[in-house]
Amino acid sequence: NSSDEPATPEPDMSKNPLVMEWTTPFGVPPFDLIKNKDYKPAFEYALKLENEEVAAIVDNPDAPTFKNTVEALELSGSLLTKVSGVFFNLESANTNDSLKETSAEMAPILSEHNDNINLNEKLFARIKTVYNEADRATLSPEENRLLDETYKNFVRSGADVQGEKKERLKEINSRLAVLSRTFGDNLLAETNNFELYVTDSTQLTGLSAGSIAIAKEEAVKRGHETGWVFTAQRPI
């Protein structure tokens, strides 16, 4: 009986370097501690926390106010922002097969997560109430700006879309998330594969000795017995 099977214990996220508080200088991510395997559980934990934070806003029995709705939403998801910042910056700057696999797996999940927030009717109803009824004179310029931007972002994300159109919007967003990631991978692969193969040394006139040496090394690395190879990488 599957019901008799012991539940799988949740991992101790306090030991995940992406989740723990960073005591490094200037709060720099502790890259020496972070392993590729840490990203997925950190994402899953961060998503769970933000879902709980958003649910607390939606289920709040008190009348919606700027503080308990708009400000609370702005402050939610801090861990997801933290994890995403490290992951996507590293993936764009120094990716590998493991990061690509995690990105491919998380793309539709993150898209669905964002839709579940941006298309949440109860949440938008609270935001809309604050937007329409807030005493703007009692809000600071920053608070007024946040209120306007929050409402506008929800509308632009499809919060007012109803019924089947909302489900279709979710499908489109999920598909776009996957296609965007695939396009990025293809672009990176094509950039890395490009080479300008030069065999005539006169075409190297004006280049520094260091650049020529690097091009020679790159040619050997790519299987050429002679010549020089220049790539599309920025340093080249």
Side-chain angles (χ1 to χ4, degrees):
N1 190 334
S2 59
S3 61
D4 296 330
E5 296 178 1
T8 302
E10 293 189 4
D12 182 3
M13 296 307 298
S14 65
K15 296 181 180 179
N16 187 305
L18 289 158
V19 174
M20 65 175 60
E21 182 179 354
W22 297 339
T23 57
T24 51
F26 308 106
V28 173
F31 289 107
D32 57 322
L33 302 178
I34 299 172
K35 310 299 180 187
N36 289 335
K37 63 181 179 61
D38 294 325
Y39 287 106
K40 183 181 176 183
F43 266 122
E44 292 174 342
Y45 181 64
L47 289 168
K48 177 175 177 290
L49 285 185
E50 186 168 29
N51 283 333
E52 293 173 354
E53 292 166 341
V54 172
I57 298 171
V58 173
D59 297 334
N60 189 338
D62 296 335
T65 64
F66 177 86
K67 187 173 185 61
N68 71 18
T69 301
V70 178
E71 182 178 303
L73 180 62
E74 176 69 10
L75 296 176
S76 69
S78 59
L79 181 58
L80 183 58
T81 299
K82 176 182 175 182
V83 175
S84 297
V86 177
F87 178 79
F88 289 112
N89 274 286
L90 184 61
E91 188 202 13
S92 64
N94 189 30
T95 193
N96 55 50
D97 290 342
S98 178
L99 295 182
K100 288 180 181 178
E101 182 179 343
T102 300
S103 180
E105 188 172 355
M106 294 307 304
I109 294 175
L110 290 171
S111 175
E112 181 181 12
H113 175 76
N114 290 331
D115 280 345
N116 287 340
I117 294 175
N118 294 330
L119 303 179
N120 187 309
E121 294 180 4
K122 292 182 178 179
L123 177 59
F124 181 58
R126 291 184 67 92
I127 293 171
K128 194 171 185 177
T129 297
V130 177
Y131 181 79
N132 290 330
E133 299 179 4
D135 182 356
R136 294 301 187 109
T138 64
L139 300 179
S140 70
E142 293 81 7
E143 290 171 336
N144 273 297
R145 170 73 172 173
L146 178 59
L147 176 54
D148 287 338
E149 289 300 303
T150 300
Y151 178 78
K152 182 171 64 178
N153 288 339
F154 266 74
V155 171
R156 289 179 174 178
S157 296
D160 274 333
V161 176
Q162 301 296 324
E164 294 182 358
K165 290 184 178 180
K166 180 171 290 189
E167 295 306 312
R168 177 56 180 154
L169 179 58
K170 290 181 180 179
E171 293 176 1
I172 292 172
N173 287 340
S174 179
R175 182 62 175 152
L176 280 175
V178 173
L179 290 176
S180 296
R181 187 203 60 79
T182 302
F183 174 79
D185 286 347
N186 290 343
L187 182 61
L188 177 63
E190 287 301 305
T191 301
N192 289 338
N193 289 336
F194 172 82
E195 65 174 49
L196 173 62
Y197 180 46
V198 176
T199 57
D200 182 359
S201 62
T202 62
Q203 295 185 32
L204 306 179
T205 302
L207 293 178
S208 68
S211 295
I212 293 174
I214 291 174
K216 184 69 175 179
E217 182 180 331
E218 188 67 28
V220 173
K221 188 187 302 182
R222 294 190 177 222
H224 300 289
E225 295 182 1
T226 61
W228 302 265
V229 164
F230 299 90
T231 71
Q233 301 296 336
R234 287 185 179 179
I236 303 299

